[in-house]
Each structure stands twice: as C-alpha cells, then as structure tokens.
Amino acid sequence: MTTDPFHPQKRPSRLGSVGHMEKLEASTLDALDAICRLRRFEPGQTVVLDGERPEFIGCVRSGYLRMQKTLADGRQHMVGLLVEGDMFGHMFNGPIKFALEAATEAEIWAFQRAPFEDLLLHAPDLERAVILNILNELDRARDWMVILGNNRVTGRIAGFLLVLCNRFFGVDHLLRIGSGSVDVKVPIGRHDLANLLGTRPESLSRAFHALADSGAIELLKPDLIRIRDVSALAAEAGEDAMDENAHLRGLLQLLKKRA
Amino acid sequence: MTTDPFHPQKRPSRLGSVGHMEKLEASTLDALDAICRLRRFEPGQTVVLDGERPEFIGCVRSGYLRMQKTLADGRQHMVGLLVEGDMFGHMFNGPIKFALEAATEAEIWAFQRAPFEDLLLHAPDLERAVILNILNELDRARDWMVILGNNRVTGRIAGFLLVLCNRFFGVDHLLRIGSGSVDVKVPIGRHDLANLLGTRPESLSRAFHALADSGAIELLKPDLIRIRDVSALAAEAGEDAMDENAHLRGLLQLLKKRA
DNA sequence: CGGTATTTTGAGTATCGTCAAGGCCAGTGG
DNA sequence: CCACTGGCCTTGACGATACTCAAAATACCG
C-alpha cells in the first residue's frame, strides 16, 4: 500500500509557508487545495521509480526522500536529498532520471498531474514558484559538486554537515541550536552517506572520529552530531565563497548570541 | 575589448538549430534577432563575474565556457562546462553563483535582459525552451555527481569521456566517428580537468595512460583521445543505467555500422 | 533479554597526492 | 633555419590517504 486513501485537506497548512510557495496568491492556494492529497511513506519505501513519469507532482511535507540513480551494474548512487518544501516530478521534462525513496517516514503532498499543469498555465505565480524550485535544486547540485570534488573524506563530511545546517535551518527537530554548538541529525545511515559522498562506510567512520578528535564535532550518537567549531568545518570543507558563507554567518551569529 | 561592436544578425543561423531552441516559432526567432548581439571572447577571459547579475542573457554559439565557483580560500572549483547551445544568465534568479570564463575562443549570443524577459512573458514557446534548458542543466549536474562519486580517477575520466561523447554528439569538429572508434577533443587542459574531476594533473596523466594501456582508449594527442572500447569505459565509469546508456547504445550502433 | 543490523576497529594493500625533475611542443628571436 | 624559452604534459619516488577484507562492538527492535 503505497498510497493513503483520500485525505483532501481544506488548506495545506504548511504548503503556504514552505520553500518558494510562500508567496502564492490565495486563489492559487485554493486551487491547489482542491487537487492535492496527502500520501504517507515508510522508510525504504519507493516513492517514484527510476525512469517513471510519476502520475503526480509532489511536495515534501515532512521527512526525507533520497534521490538515487541506478547504475548499469545495479548499484545505486545517491544524487541528493529532498526535505520539507522540496518539489519533484517536474513537468515539461518527461520521466525523471532517478528513483525516489523515503529515507525516513515521510509525508508528501501529491498534486494530480493534469490539473496541476493546467493550473500552471493560468497561474504565473505558481509557475514562478516551480521555476525557482528548479533553479534552487540546480544551485544545490552544484554545491554538491564542490563538496564531492574535495579529495579528503573529512572535507566531504564537513561540507555535508554544513549543507545540512543550511538546509535544516529552522526545522527545529532536525537542527537544534545550543550554547556555542549545533546538533544536527544525520538523516541517512552510514551506508547511504558513504554512497552519497563517494566513499565507504569504514572510511566515513574513521573520518567522523578524526573530526571528533580534532574537536570540530562530537559524536553524540552515530546519527546525531554536535558541531562545536563551524569555522573549522568550513576550513576543512574548503567552503565556497558565495552562498554558503551567507548562511554560515547567520549561524555563527546565532551561536554567539546564545553562547 | 570584451565585446564586439554591434553585430546584429538578420537571423541567428545556428540559434534555431541548437539546444532546445530548435522548435521556436518564426515570430519568436525574429523577435530574438532584434535584441541579440554577437560577443567574442578570448581564452581565459571572464564572461560573467562570480555573484554578478549579468546585464545580458547568453547562449553559446561556439567554443566552451567553464563555470567555476570561487572557494573561501581563493581557490576555484569548476562545476561544469558550457558548450554550443547552452544558455546562461537565467532570469528569475538574481545573480549567478559562479563565474563564467571562456575556456577557449568563444562566441556568445547576448540578448538584452529587459526585452528578453519581456519577450519571455509573451512567448510561451521561448519560456518552454528556457525551462527545458534549465532542466537539462539539472540533469547534467546530477550526472556529474555520479561521475565525481566514483572513487577511482580512471573511473571519473571514463565517465567524463562518455559525457563528452553524449554532449558533443553531432558536433563534428569535436567528435569524429571512425571505423570502430570515436575521436573526442578534450576541450580543457589537464589542470582544469583535474580541478573538474577533483584530482591532480599528475594523477590524471597516470590514469589516462592506464586506460590507454588497457586498450580502452588511445592518446593521439594530450587533448585528442580515440575511444576504442566504449563498453570498457562504461564499465570503468559505473555508468548510470538510465539516460547515458540510451545515447551509448546509439553510439555503439553507429560504431558497428562503420566497422 | 536475545537477535539482527549497523557501526566501528584493525591490518594489509592499492591508489592517490606531493614534490621534483624531465620531455614535448609552439612561439620567439637570432 | 635553428637555438632558445615558457607552458604544459609526463614520469619517478615517496608519504599520506583511502579501500578491502575480516572481525568485534555497539545500537536497535521486538
């Protein structure tokens, strides 16, 4: 049972406050209400198959989805993570080129494709939101490239943790800001993370503990990491100068205030 | 001299036959004619600065541009290559987050921003072309992620060569198909390539020669590579099952026909 | 509390990065 | 026409890092 029976919502409460959808007009939101269903997925469950053209357009309400390409030899390589507010199953473009799987328990707003695309033609604000979402994804994909280009595993981990900070900023059950430190929940296991960062679980483990020994982070649990020194991480990661730092600065400020 | 004095073209001859612009209506092409200029760039010349919002929207007519992010420590990391038919300086999105530099001598169709965006609002076919271009970039960025995720340098090179085959397919001065083999021109030097693939020139050199020793490729010149065994490359690269293989199959068929 | 999956550790090997030197090619100037 | 020069590519040697295989420890779940 991959879908939940009808759960039409009078008003997708989070829909209007997430991602690039916050600026949609009331009439557009109403129209979206009428064609959306809430679907729920269990960890490991497939949301969209590789190469399938999903019959709906989705927007993540909670949880994480992993995007993964299937390689010719059957292995899978993750190419990104979808979190709260991210959309998928984009129109214009035929089938998607990667599989989507729930990494955790996840809720998805599913919009019926035909009416959504119809609405798109008549609601410039929605179209704009969709395009911004795509451009956002593009920027993030390029950020990943920089991170993956780092030749030390510790550097890639550092970059990954900083990305988590940026993306989970404000989602408080994922990122908890304490006095002088930030706790981040790593949404995926070592195996998947190794896959994402182009390495092996063993190397990951060693690198995590190396970062811990250096004092930059602390391993509260395998999947719960306390960041003690953001700038040390940024230095490890060889962070890019443009967009990351803007977010990081905000994070650092917050840390100072609470310290 | 970064720009060429006015060179309005009665009809951008290649514009209508490249990328996703091939399906534009005549009236749209005429409108584009009116607002485009041809600009010429020398190798190494900057086309758009990091963080700048370019005053024009560009479309590559010939040559290659490299997209590179500037890291906090001043180093630069390449995140992609723009070739014939690719667009940049996208609208909707404020400043671009990477610098654009000519990797070779290059010609750019430059469209004045304001009239282009205006045209965009009234020409659905143009808007569609632009969106397809963006989605295309997104797919390619994800392909890069898979390639960079490969932990052997030979694998990353193999992936890179296959991408070149896919993208330069049909551009005959870059990709020449012989009997049982394909010759590809590598558009960038070892230093840039190392940067793009997250390694060093020395490792690249060794990996190239390792592939040559295995018989998969042949180094005609440092920047001219004859691919002798496409499937060996695909195996090295751990090629992804979806889109690459479709192109590869076509390539293999062609090879068999000419063999 | 036991069973299972995940994570961690260890030892040995392969690969890659680094530094330094050598070769190749094109452009320059005699 | 040839020697010279500078940039790029290649090669070699060595140390650092990461991968592999195997086993132990820990966390998770019922």
mmCIF file of all heavy atoms in Angstrom, chain A residues 105-146:
data_model
loop_
_atom_site.group_PDB
_atom_site.id
_atom_site.type_symbol
_atom_site.label_atom_id
_atom_site.label_comp_id
_atom_site.label_asym_id
_atom_site.label_seq_id
_atom_site.Cartn_x
_atom_site.Cartn_y
_atom_site.Cartn_z
ATOM 1 N N GLU A 105 10.329 8.021 7.602
ATOM 2 C CA GLU A 105 8.890 8.163 7.422
ATOM 3 C C GLU A 105 8.658 9.535 6.797
ATOM 4 O O GLU A 105 9.284 10.518 7.191
ATOM 5 C CB GLU A 105 8.195 8.081 8.778
ATOM 6 C CG GLU A 105 6.721 7.728 8.686
ATOM 7 C CD GLU A 105 6.156 7.402 10.066
ATOM 8 O OE1 GLU A 105 6.892 6.783 10.868
ATOM 9 O OE2 GLU A 105 5.007 7.771 10.331
ATOM 10 N N ALA A 106 7.802 9.604 5.806
ATOM 11 C CA ALA A 106 7.675 10.863 5.076
ATOM 12 C C ALA A 106 6.237 11.106 4.640
ATOM 13 O O ALA A 106 5.482 10.172 4.380
ATOM 14 C CB ALA A 106 8.589 10.859 3.852
ATOM 15 N N GLU A 107 5.891 12.388 4.584
ATOM 16 C CA GLU A 107 4.576 12.771 4.076
ATOM 17 C C GLU A 107 4.758 13.644 2.839
ATOM 18 O O GLU A 107 5.597 14.542 2.823
ATOM 19 C CB GLU A 107 3.808 13.564 5.139
ATOM 20 C CG GLU A 107 3.381 12.734 6.343
ATOM 21 C CD GLU A 107 2.765 13.614 7.420
ATOM 22 O OE1 GLU A 107 3.416 14.615 7.797
ATOM 23 O OE2 GLU A 107 1.655 13.328 7.851
ATOM 24 N N ILE A 108 3.947 13.374 1.860
ATOM 25 C CA ILE A 108 4.060 14.056 0.570
ATOM 26 C C ILE A 108 2.723 14.671 0.199
ATOM 27 O O ILE A 108 1.692 13.994 0.278
ATOM 28 C CB ILE A 108 4.419 13.038 -0.536
ATOM 29 C CG1 ILE A 108 5.618 12.204 -0.143
ATOM 30 C CG2 ILE A 108 4.605 13.733 -1.864
ATOM 31 C CD1 ILE A 108 6.885 12.947 -0.124
ATOM 32 N N TRP A 109 2.769 15.937 -0.217
ATOM 33 C CA TRP A 109 1.591 16.495 -0.872
ATOM 34 C C TRP A 109 1.634 16.051 -2.316
ATOM 35 O O TRP A 109 2.584 16.373 -3.026
ATOM 36 C CB TRP A 109 1.610 18.029 -0.852
ATOM 37 C CG TRP A 109 1.448 18.635 0.499
ATOM 38 C CD1 TRP A 109 2.359 19.401 1.149
ATOM 39 C CD2 TRP A 109 0.301 18.571 1.359
ATOM 40 N NE1 TRP A 109 1.862 19.786 2.373
ATOM 41 C CE2 TRP A 109 0.604 19.305 2.516
ATOM 42 C CE3 TRP A 109 -0.945 17.941 1.253
ATOM 43 C CZ2 TRP A 109 -0.294 19.429 3.571
ATOM 44 C CZ3 TRP A 109 -1.835 18.074 2.301
ATOM 45 C CH2 TRP A 109 -1.502 18.808 3.437
ATOM 46 N N ALA A 110 0.623 15.322 -2.759
ATOM 47 C CA ALA A 110 0.598 14.848 -4.138
ATOM 48 C C ALA A 110 -0.466 15.617 -4.913
ATOM 49 O O ALA A 110 -1.637 15.594 -4.551
ATOM 50 C CB ALA A 110 0.314 13.355 -4.178
ATOM 51 N N PHE A 111 -0.024 16.292 -5.954
ATOM 52 C CA PHE A 111 -0.962 17.037 -6.806
ATOM 53 C C PHE A 111 -1.204 16.241 -8.072
ATOM 54 O O PHE A 111 -0.248 15.799 -8.721
ATOM 55 C CB PHE A 111 -0.381 18.406 -7.169
ATOM 56 C CG PHE A 111 -0.017 19.238 -5.981
ATOM 57 C CD1 PHE A 111 1.297 19.317 -5.538
ATOM 58 C CD2 PHE A 111 -0.996 19.923 -5.275
ATOM 59 C CE1 PHE A 111 1.628 20.076 -4.428
ATOM 60 C CE2 PHE A 111 -0.669 20.686 -4.165
ATOM 61 C CZ PHE A 111 0.644 20.755 -3.732
ATOM 62 N N GLN A 112 -2.456 16.092 -8.414
ATOM 63 C CA GLN A 112 -2.769 15.391 -9.657
ATOM 64 C C GLN A 112 -2.117 16.129 -10.816
ATOM 65 O O GLN A 112 -2.186 17.343 -10.911
ATOM 66 C CB GLN A 112 -4.276 15.333 -9.867
ATOM 67 C CG GLN A 112 -5.021 14.578 -8.764
ATOM 68 C CD GLN A 112 -6.485 14.960 -8.743
ATOM 69 O OE1 GLN A 112 -7.110 15.074 -9.788
ATOM 70 N NE2 GLN A 112 -7.034 15.169 -7.557
ATOM 71 N N ARG A 113 -1.485 15.361 -11.680
ATOM 72 C CA ARG A 113 -0.666 15.989 -12.692
ATOM 73 C C ARG A 113 -1.455 16.900 -13.634
ATOM 74 O O ARG A 113 -1.110 18.072 -13.823
ATOM 75 C CB ARG A 113 0.077 14.925 -13.514
ATOM 76 C CG ARG A 113 0.860 15.477 -14.687
ATOM 77 C CD ARG A 113 1.688 14.401 -15.346
ATOM 78 N NE ARG A 113 2.755 13.972 -14.463
ATOM 79 C CZ ARG A 113 3.920 14.612 -14.358
ATOM 80 N NH1 ARG A 113 4.137 15.706 -15.068
ATOM 81 N NH2 ARG A 113 4.856 14.170 -13.560
ATOM 82 N N ALA A 114 -2.500 16.351 -14.236
ATOM 83 C CA ALA A 114 -3.218 17.111 -15.262
ATOM 84 C C ALA A 114 -3.733 18.456 -14.736
ATOM 85 O O ALA A 114 -3.432 19.500 -15.322
ATOM 86 C CB ALA A 114 -4.347 16.267 -15.846
ATOM 87 N N PRO A 115 -4.495 18.449 -13.643
ATOM 88 C CA PRO A 115 -4.972 19.737 -13.153
ATOM 89 C C PRO A 115 -3.835 20.672 -12.707
ATOM 90 O O PRO A 115 -3.931 21.887 -12.867
ATOM 91 C CB PRO A 115 -5.862 19.370 -11.960
ATOM 92 C CG PRO A 115 -5.791 17.911 -11.797
ATOM 93 C CD PRO A 115 -5.058 17.315 -12.920
ATOM 94 N N PHE A 116 -2.760 20.083 -12.185
ATOM 95 C CA PHE A 116 -1.637 20.923 -11.758
ATOM 96 C C PHE A 116 -1.038 21.637 -12.963
ATOM 97 O O PHE A 116 -0.798 22.846 -12.941
ATOM 98 C CB PHE A 116 -0.569 20.069 -11.076
ATOM 99 C CG PHE A 116 0.545 20.869 -10.441
ATOM 100 C CD1 PHE A 116 0.479 21.206 -9.098
ATOM 101 C CD2 PHE A 116 1.644 21.277 -11.181
ATOM 102 C CE1 PHE A 116 1.493 21.945 -8.506
ATOM 103 C CE2 PHE A 116 2.657 22.015 -10.594
ATOM 104 C CZ PHE A 116 2.585 22.351 -9.251
ATOM 105 N N GLU A 117 -0.810 20.896 -14.030
ATOM 106 C CA GLU A 117 -0.211 21.501 -15.213
ATOM 107 C C GLU A 117 -1.154 22.519 -15.825
ATOM 108 O O GLU A 117 -0.731 23.541 -16.360
ATOM 109 C CB GLU A 117 0.159 20.411 -16.231
ATOM 110 C CG GLU A 117 1.274 19.506 -15.708
ATOM 111 C CD GLU A 117 1.790 18.529 -16.752
ATOM 112 O OE1 GLU A 117 1.072 18.293 -17.743
ATOM 113 O OE2 GLU A 117 2.898 18.016 -16.561
ATOM 114 N N ASP A 118 -2.443 22.217 -15.719
ATOM 115 C CA ASP A 118 -3.431 23.162 -16.217
ATOM 116 C C ASP A 118 -3.370 24.460 -15.410
ATOM 117 O O ASP A 118 -3.336 25.558 -15.954
ATOM 118 C CB ASP A 118 -4.821 22.533 -16.108
ATOM 119 C CG ASP A 118 -5.817 23.244 -17.001
ATOM 120 O OD1 ASP A 118 -5.501 23.411 -18.199
ATOM 121 O OD2 ASP A 118 -6.876 23.644 -16.486
ATOM 122 N N LEU A 119 -3.310 24.278 -14.110
ATOM 123 C CA LEU A 119 -3.238 25.430 -13.220
ATOM 124 C C LEU A 119 -1.989 26.250 -13.515
ATOM 125 O O LEU A 119 -1.993 27.480 -13.488
ATOM 126 C CB LEU A 119 -3.227 24.947 -11.764
ATOM 127 C CG LEU A 119 -3.241 26.009 -10.673
ATOM 128 C CD1 LEU A 119 -4.458 26.901 -10.817
ATOM 129 C CD2 LEU A 119 -3.236 25.350 -9.294
ATOM 130 N N LEU A 120 -0.915 25.528 -13.820
ATOM 131 C CA LEU A 120 0.366 26.168 -14.092
ATOM 132 C C LEU A 120 0.247 27.175 -15.237
ATOM 133 O O LEU A 120 0.865 28.244 -15.215
ATOM 134 C CB LEU A 120 1.373 25.079 -14.484
ATOM 135 C CG LEU A 120 2.836 25.295 -14.159
ATOM 136 C CD1 LEU A 120 2.995 25.588 -12.685
ATOM 137 C CD2 LEU A 120 3.626 24.071 -14.553
ATOM 138 N N LEU A 121 -0.560 26.821 -16.224
ATOM 139 C CA LEU A 121 -0.695 27.678 -17.393
ATOM 140 C C LEU A 121 -1.418 28.982 -17.067
ATOM 141 O O LEU A 121 -1.231 29.984 -17.732
ATOM 142 C CB LEU A 121 -1.459 26.935 -18.504
ATOM 143 C CG LEU A 121 -0.712 25.743 -19.106
ATOM 144 C CD1 LEU A 121 -1.592 25.022 -20.113
ATOM 145 C CD2 LEU A 121 0.583 26.207 -19.755
ATOM 146 N N HIS A 122 -2.251 28.914 -16.039
ATOM 147 C CA HIS A 122 -3.084 30.075 -15.763
ATOM 148 C C HIS A 122 -2.656 30.823 -14.506
ATOM 149 O O HIS A 122 -3.251 31.828 -14.158
ATOM 150 C CB HIS A 122 -4.552 29.654 -15.645
ATOM 151 C CG HIS A 122 -5.023 28.904 -16.845
ATOM 152 N ND1 HIS A 122 -5.031 29.465 -18.109
ATOM 153 C CD2 HIS A 122 -5.457 27.641 -16.995
ATOM 154 C CE1 HIS A 122 -5.481 28.576 -18.981
ATOM 155 N NE2 HIS A 122 -5.734 27.449 -18.328
ATOM 156 N N ALA A 123 -1.678 30.305 -13.794
ATOM 157 C CA ALA A 123 -1.230 30.960 -12.557
ATOM 158 C C ALA A 123 0.260 31.259 -12.638
ATOM 159 O O ALA A 123 1.085 30.422 -12.302
ATOM 160 C CB ALA A 123 -1.542 30.069 -11.351
ATOM 161 N N PRO A 124 0.592 32.439 -13.113
ATOM 162 C CA PRO A 124 2.014 32.803 -13.261
ATOM 163 C C PRO A 124 2.767 32.708 -11.942
ATOM 164 O O PRO A 124 3.961 32.399 -11.925
ATOM 165 C CB PRO A 124 1.960 34.251 -13.745
ATOM 166 C CG PRO A 124 0.581 34.450 -14.266
ATOM 167 C CD PRO A 124 -0.309 33.523 -13.490
ATOM 168 N N ASP A 125 2.093 32.956 -10.834
ATOM 169 C CA ASP A 125 2.788 32.899 -9.549
ATOM 170 C C ASP A 125 3.217 31.476 -9.239
ATOM 171 O O ASP A 125 4.304 31.248 -8.712
ATOM 172 C CB ASP A 125 1.913 33.474 -8.423
ATOM 173 C CG ASP A 125 0.565 32.772 -8.323
ATOM 174 O OD1 ASP A 125 0.094 32.226 -9.339
ATOM 175 O OD2 ASP A 125 -0.008 32.770 -7.228
ATOM 176 N N LEU A 126 2.360 30.513 -9.599
ATOM 177 C CA LEU A 126 2.721 29.113 -9.365
ATOM 178 C C LEU A 126 3.871 28.709 -10.274
ATOM 179 O O LEU A 126 4.818 28.051 -9.849
ATOM 180 C CB LEU A 126 1.512 28.206 -9.617
ATOM 181 C CG LEU A 126 1.786 26.710 -9.471
ATOM 182 C CD1 LEU A 126 2.279 26.391 -8.074
ATOM 183 C CD2 LEU A 126 0.542 25.895 -9.795
ATOM 184 N N GLU A 127 3.775 29.127 -11.511
ATOM 185 C CA GLU A 127 4.832 28.794 -12.451
ATOM 186 C C GLU A 127 6.171 29.317 -11.958
ATOM 187 O O GLU A 127 7.190 28.643 -11.985
ATOM 188 C CB GLU A 127 4.513 29.390 -13.821
ATOM 189 C CG GLU A 127 5.535 29.003 -14.861
ATOM 190 C CD GLU A 127 5.141 29.507 -16.225
ATOM 191 O OE1 GLU A 127 4.789 30.700 -16.342
ATOM 192 O OE2 GLU A 127 5.183 28.713 -17.176
ATOM 193 N N ARG A 128 6.141 30.527 -11.472
ATOM 194 C CA ARG A 128 7.347 31.145 -10.945
ATOM 195 C C ARG A 128 7.907 30.354 -9.775
ATOM 196 O O ARG A 128 9.109 30.107 -9.675
ATOM 197 C CB ARG A 128 7.026 32.576 -10.508
ATOM 198 C CG ARG A 128 8.229 33.429 -10.271
ATOM 199 C CD ARG A 128 7.810 34.804 -9.732
ATOM 200 N NE ARG A 128 8.816 35.278 -8.816
ATOM 201 C CZ ARG A 128 9.937 35.868 -9.212
ATOM 202 N NH1 ARG A 128 10.166 36.047 -10.484
ATOM 203 N NH2 ARG A 128 10.837 36.265 -8.325
ATOM 204 N N ALA A 129 7.007 29.922 -8.894
ATOM 205 C CA ALA A 129 7.444 29.140 -7.733
ATOM 206 C C ALA A 129 8.112 27.849 -8.180
ATOM 207 O O ALA A 129 9.138 27.439 -7.639
ATOM 208 C CB ALA A 129 6.259 28.835 -6.822
ATOM 209 N N VAL A 130 7.532 27.222 -9.186
ATOM 210 C CA VAL A 130 8.089 25.965 -9.675
ATOM 211 C C VAL A 130 9.475 26.188 -10.273
ATOM 212 O O VAL A 130 10.416 25.441 -10.007
ATOM 213 C CB VAL A 130 7.148 25.329 -10.714
ATOM 214 C CG1 VAL A 130 7.842 24.191 -11.444
ATOM 215 C CG2 VAL A 130 5.888 24.826 -10.024
ATOM 216 N N ILE A 131 9.588 27.239 -11.062
ATOM 217 C CA ILE A 131 10.877 27.504 -11.696
ATOM 218 C C ILE A 131 11.936 27.824 -10.648
ATOM 219 O O ILE A 131 13.073 27.356 -10.718
ATOM 220 C CB ILE A 131 10.744 28.658 -12.711
ATOM 221 C CG1 ILE A 131 9.886 28.200 -13.885
ATOM 222 C CG2 ILE A 131 12.112 29.089 -13.191
ATOM 223 C CD1 ILE A 131 9.615 29.273 -14.891
ATOM 224 N N LEU A 132 11.558 28.612 -9.654
ATOM 225 C CA LEU A 132 12.509 28.923 -8.584
ATOM 226 C C LEU A 132 12.954 27.658 -7.886
ATOM 227 O O LEU A 132 14.115 27.503 -7.522
ATOM 228 C CB LEU A 132 11.874 29.893 -7.584
ATOM 229 C CG LEU A 132 11.777 31.336 -8.067
ATOM 230 C CD1 LEU A 132 11.135 32.209 -7.008
ATOM 231 C CD2 LEU A 132 13.156 31.863 -8.433
ATOM 232 N N ASN A 133 12.023 26.748 -7.694
ATOM 233 C CA ASN A 133 12.349 25.476 -7.063
ATOM 234 C C ASN A 133 13.390 24.725 -7.880
ATOM 235 O O ASN A 133 14.363 24.177 -7.341
ATOM 236 C CB ASN A 133 11.067 24.642 -6.941
ATOM 237 C CG ASN A 133 11.197 23.564 -5.892
ATOM 238 O OD1 ASN A 133 11.927 22.610 -6.085
ATOM 239 N ND2 ASN A 133 10.505 23.740 -4.772
ATOM 240 N N ILE A 134 13.202 24.720 -9.190
ATOM 241 C CA ILE A 134 14.156 24.022 -10.055
ATOM 242 C C ILE A 134 15.523 24.681 -9.989
ATOM 243 O O ILE A 134 16.553 24.019 -9.865
ATOM 244 C CB ILE A 134 13.648 24.012 -11.508
ATOM 245 C CG1 ILE A 134 12.342 23.223 -11.614
ATOM 246 C CG2 ILE A 134 14.691 23.396 -12.418
ATOM 247 C CD1 ILE A 134 11.721 23.281 -12.991
ATOM 248 N N LEU A 135 15.541 26.010 -10.063
ATOM 249 C CA LEU A 135 16.815 26.721 -10.032
ATOM 250 C C LEU A 135 17.536 26.483 -8.716
ATOM 251 O O LEU A 135 18.758 26.365 -8.664
ATOM 252 C CB LEU A 135 16.586 28.218 -10.252
ATOM 253 C CG LEU A 135 16.244 28.591 -11.684
ATOM 254 C CD1 LEU A 135 15.812 30.040 -11.770
ATOM 255 C CD2 LEU A 135 17.426 28.326 -12.592
ATOM 256 N N ASN A 136 16.743 26.402 -7.657
ATOM 257 C CA ASN A 136 17.282 26.116 -6.348
ATOM 258 C C ASN A 136 17.970 24.753 -6.332
ATOM 259 O O ASN A 136 19.092 24.605 -5.835
ATOM 260 C CB ASN A 136 16.124 26.149 -5.348
ATOM 261 C CG ASN A 136 16.603 26.360 -3.945
ATOM 262 O OD1 ASN A 136 17.678 26.915 -3.745
ATOM 263 N ND2 ASN A 136 15.827 25.918 -2.987
ATOM 264 N N GLU A 137 17.294 23.784 -6.900
ATOM 265 C CA GLU A 137 17.878 22.450 -6.992
ATOM 266 C C GLU A 137 19.180 22.473 -7.765
ATOM 267 O O GLU A 137 20.136 21.787 -7.424
ATOM 268 C CB GLU A 137 16.908 21.504 -7.703
ATOM 269 C CG GLU A 137 15.895 20.863 -6.800
ATOM 270 C CD GLU A 137 15.157 19.765 -7.554
ATOM 271 O OE1 GLU A 137 15.760 18.710 -7.792
ATOM 272 O OE2 GLU A 137 13.994 19.993 -7.919
ATOM 273 N N LEU A 138 19.179 23.277 -8.822
ATOM 274 C CA LEU A 138 20.380 23.361 -9.659
ATOM 275 C C LEU A 138 21.546 23.908 -8.846
ATOM 276 O O LEU A 138 22.651 23.371 -8.870
ATOM 277 C CB LEU A 138 20.086 24.257 -10.860
ATOM 278 C CG LEU A 138 21.125 24.314 -11.963
ATOM 279 C CD1 LEU A 138 21.490 22.918 -12.434
ATOM 280 C CD2 LEU A 138 20.613 25.148 -13.112
ATOM 281 N N ASP A 139 21.284 24.948 -8.090
ATOM 282 C CA ASP A 139 22.338 25.512 -7.247
ATOM 283 C C ASP A 139 22.844 24.481 -6.260
ATOM 284 O O ASP A 139 24.042 24.357 -6.026
ATOM 285 C CB ASP A 139 21.812 26.737 -6.483
ATOM 286 C CG ASP A 139 21.709 27.954 -7.378
ATOM 287 O OD1 ASP A 139 22.366 27.958 -8.440
ATOM 288 O OD2 ASP A 139 20.964 28.879 -7.022
ATOM 289 N N ARG A 140 21.925 23.748 -5.677
ATOM 290 C CA ARG A 140 22.345 22.761 -4.686
ATOM 291 C C ARG A 140 23.157 21.652 -5.324
ATOM 292 O O ARG A 140 24.132 21.167 -4.757
ATOM 293 C CB ARG A 140 21.122 22.191 -3.974
ATOM 294 C CG ARG A 140 20.462 23.202 -3.061
ATOM 295 C CD ARG A 140 19.595 22.535 -2.022
ATOM 296 N NE ARG A 140 18.869 21.427 -2.555
ATOM 297 C CZ ARG A 140 17.544 21.370 -2.688
ATOM 298 N NH1 ARG A 140 16.798 22.403 -2.320
ATOM 299 N NH2 ARG A 140 16.966 20.317 -3.166
ATOM 300 N N ALA A 141 22.757 21.263 -6.547
ATOM 301 C CA ALA A 141 23.519 20.228 -7.236
ATOM 302 C C ALA A 141 24.952 20.698 -7.460
ATOM 303 O O ALA A 141 25.902 19.932 -7.311
ATOM 304 C CB ALA A 141 22.858 19.878 -8.567
ATOM 305 N N ARG A 142 25.122 21.973 -7.770
ATOM 306 C CA ARG A 142 26.470 22.499 -7.991
ATOM 307 C C ARG A 142 27.247 22.550 -6.686
ATOM 308 O O ARG A 142 28.453 22.305 -6.658
ATOM 309 C CB ARG A 142 26.399 23.898 -8.608
ATOM 310 C CG ARG A 142 25.761 23.906 -9.974
ATOM 311 C CD ARG A 142 26.546 24.714 -10.981
ATOM 312 N NE ARG A 142 26.027 24.468 -12.311
ATOM 313 C CZ ARG A 142 24.976 25.099 -12.831
ATOM 314 N NH1 ARG A 142 24.352 26.026 -12.133
ATOM 315 N NH2 ARG A 142 24.570 24.820 -14.051
ATOM 316 N N ASP A 143 26.547 22.851 -5.606
ATOM 317 C CA ASP A 143 27.205 22.804 -4.304
ATOM 318 C C ASP A 143 27.720 21.404 -4.021
ATOM 319 O O ASP A 143 28.841 21.213 -3.543
ATOM 320 C CB ASP A 143 26.236 23.233 -3.195
ATOM 321 C CG ASP A 143 25.941 24.718 -3.250
ATOM 322 O OD1 ASP A 143 26.715 25.449 -3.881
ATOM 323 O OD2 ASP A 143 24.933 25.140 -2.668
ATOM 324 N N TRP A 144 26.896 20.408 -4.330
ATOM 325 C CA TRP A 144 27.340 19.033 -4.156
ATOM 326 C C TRP A 144 28.604 18.755 -4.937
ATOM 327 O O TRP A 144 29.506 18.063 -4.470
ATOM 328 C CB TRP A 144 26.249 18.049 -4.583
ATOM 329 C CG TRP A 144 25.206 17.808 -3.553
ATOM 330 C CD1 TRP A 144 23.873 18.060 -3.685
ATOM 331 C CD2 TRP A 144 25.382 17.264 -2.236
ATOM 332 N NE1 TRP A 144 23.220 17.725 -2.532
ATOM 333 C CE2 TRP A 144 24.136 17.225 -1.620
ATOM 334 C CE3 TRP A 144 26.497 16.817 -1.543
ATOM 335 C CZ2 TRP A 144 23.945 16.759 -0.339
ATOM 336 C CZ3 TRP A 144 26.319 16.349 -0.260
ATOM 337 C CH2 TRP A 144 25.050 16.324 0.341
ATOM 338 N N MET A 145 28.654 19.310 -6.152
ATOM 339 C CA MET A 145 29.834 19.064 -6.968
ATOM 340 C C MET A 145 31.095 19.573 -6.286
ATOM 341 O O MET A 145 32.139 18.923 -6.337
ATOM 342 C CB MET A 145 29.667 19.724 -8.334
ATOM 343 C CG MET A 145 28.724 18.980 -9.241
ATOM 344 S SD MET A 145 28.770 19.652 -10.903
ATOM 345 C CE MET A 145 30.500 19.407 -11.321
ATOM 346 N N VAL A 146 31.003 20.742 -5.691
ATOM 347 C CA VAL A 146 32.163 21.287 -4.990
ATOM 348 C C VAL A 146 32.548 20.373 -3.835
ATOM 349 O O VAL A 146 33.720 20.045 -3.632
ATOM 350 C CB VAL A 146 31.882 22.707 -4.471
ATOM 351 C CG1 VAL A 146 33.057 23.212 -3.648
ATOM 352 C CG2 VAL A 146 31.597 23.648 -5.619
#
